[in-house]
Amino acid sequence: VPCETTFIGELPAGSNGLAGRVYLLNRITFAVVGFSYDGQAEDAFFWVGSGETPSISGYACTYNQDINSRLPAVQDQDVVVHLPSDAEGKKIEHFAIWCRSNNINIGHIAVQQDLIPNTEKPPALTVPKNSPVFLGSLTTNSHGVQGNIFAL
């Protein structure tokens, strides 16, 4: 995860092999470091919304550049999650893994409003010269290709 991110919290461990540390990169982008999930819910998505707990009135977030892509089984991967355009500017009070078809909260954390920056631009990076910056993980679709992407 790039420098100067805001730590939001840990996803609750236990249910569906869920794990990960959630960071806010800017008003519309989250990163989940060390994300794990067993992929067993038939229609699970990264989900945000208002209120103390997730509900059907929330928003499915873009993961893997596809808003309609349900969460697959993953183990200890770093992922970047973007709010959909219809959620931008809305009050975001929780970040969750939500099963749409069964209206089940697989796990969530509260997002404190004072942690959300007032700008949509990513925070400035303060990176020592010649230090790699993690940009994201390659998605394994075929041929077993996998890995992380870094900028130098």
Side-chain angles (χ1 to χ4, degrees):
V1 171
C3 300
E4 294 188 28
T5 58
T6 303
F7 178 68
I8 301 296
E10 295 264 349
L11 289 170
S15 178
N16 291 82
L18 193 60
R21 297 174 309 283
V22 180
Y23 294 83
L24 185 65
L25 302 181
N26 58 45
R27 289 186 60 77
I28 60 172
T29 312
F30 290 86
V32 186
V33 176
F35 179 61
S36 294
Y37 166 65
D38 68 8
Q40 295 300 308
E42 63 187 50
D43 197 29
F45 290 83
F46 287 110
W47 197 259
V48 296
S50 61
E52 290 183 24
T53 58
S55 70
I56 194 166
S57 63
Y59 302 91
C61 297
T62 304
Y63 161 71
N64 254 4
Q65 308 299 321
D66 183 0
I67 192 76
N68 296 312
S69 179
R70 76 173 192 86
L71 291 175
V74 294
Q75 184 66 37
D76 196 30
Q77 289 187 8
D78 298 340
V79 298
V80 176
V81 179
H82 300 279
L83 294 181
S85 59
D86 56 346
E88 291 178 24
K90 305 282 189 204
K91 190 173 190 178
I92 302 300
E93 296 178 304
H94 59 260
F95 179 92
I97 309 304
W98 175 263
C99 180
R100 274 194 312 201
S101 62
N102 295 316
N103 295 332
I104 295 173
N105 175 14
I106 296 169
H108 77 282
I109 56 172
V111 176
Q112 296 176 9
Q113 295 304 294
D114 61 337
L115 297 178
I116 300 176
N118 292 323
T119 177
E120 292 186 11
K121 294 181 179 178
L125 298 178
T126 306
V127 180
K129 190 174 182 177
N130 298 323
S131 293
V133 175
F134 175 76
L135 298 177
S137 295
L138 293 172
T139 303
T140 303
N141 288 328
S142 63
H143 304 289
V145 174
Q146 60 184 4
N148 295 323
I149 301 169
F150 292 87
L152 298 177

